[in-house]
Amino acid sequence: MLATAFADDPVMRWLVPTGLRLEPLFGAHVRMANADRQVVDLALRDGEPVGAAIWHEPGYRPGPWRQLASLPRYAIALRRNLGRGAELENLLHGVRPDEEFWYLAGVGAVHRGEGIGSALLQHRLELVGGPAYLESSKQENLALYTRFGFEVRDSLRPPDGPELWPMRRPP
């Protein structure tokens, strides 16, 4: 689902070489995270999945062994752009808040404009306490996140890459 939702995402298109599918990249992301510290919310319509949101609990950061074990999956997903992926990850970690926060790793729906992403965001944000954080990879999504209390902290751009907007939601 997330691969479908992110098919036209500028960052995903910059990371994943032309002609390759996004599913292996999202698979690598999900497998790298610790299942005990990751929350996946699914939106269903008539029993069929139509959207998903992936959150990491406050304080979660994959350990070095988990990161090392995930490298082959990332290498398959990114191929010649594996270095880009590492640069982007370092850039993003360098600007994240020092405090602990709920991290929105991704939210998307197979059909846009139907309120699926909003419902997923509202569901989790009503349940969690404390701050939340994300990096928006599409400028047009800033208004959605702002409606849920997220505030743009800055913008950043990897070398030769598209712009991203780190956003924090206060507690």
Side-chain angles (χ1 to χ4, degrees), residues 115-146:
I116 297 166
S118 292
L120 287 162
L121 287 169
Q122 182 173 346
H123 168 74
R124 182 58 45 196
L125 291 171
E126 287 177 352
L127 296 175
V128 302
Y133 181 81
L134 62 86
E135 294 103 5
S136 180
S137 52
K138 289 179 112 177
Q139 189 168 18
E140 59 260 31
N141 290 342
L142 298 180
L144 167 68
Y145 298 129
T146 300

Side-chain angles (χ1 to χ4, degrees), residues 36-77:
D36 294 340
R37 304 288 306 273
Q38 176 174 263
V39 176
V40 178
D41 294 320
L42 288 177
L44 303 174
R45 180 179 291 148
D46 299 324
E48 294 295 318
V50 292
I54 300 174
W55 294 86
H56 296 170
E57 291 183 357
Y60 173 69
R61 174 133 168 113
W65 290 112
R66 187 173 292 276
Q67 289 177 354
L68 187 60
S70 71
L71 270 179
R73 290 186 185 277
Y74 280 109
I76 290 169

Side-chain angles (χ1 to χ4, degrees), residues 72-137:
R73 290 186 185 277
Y74 280 109
I76 290 169
L78 300 178
R79 303 224 179 131
R80 68 180 179 274
N81 291 346
L82 183 60
R84 278 185 182 177
E87 276 183 46
L88 179 61
E89 192 66 18
N90 288 334
L91 179 66
L92 296 177
H93 282 284
V95 300
R96 289 186 181 151
D98 292 330
E99 68 187 330
E100 291 192 354
F101 51 84
W102 280 87
Y103 176 65
L104 178 61
V107 61
V110 293
H111 303 289
R112 291 193 184 130
E114 297 181 4
I116 297 166
S118 292
L120 287 162
L121 287 169
Q122 182 173 346
H123 168 74
R124 182 58 45 196
L125 291 171
E126 287 177 352
L127 296 175
V128 302
Y133 181 81
L134 62 86
E135 294 103 5
S136 180
S137 52

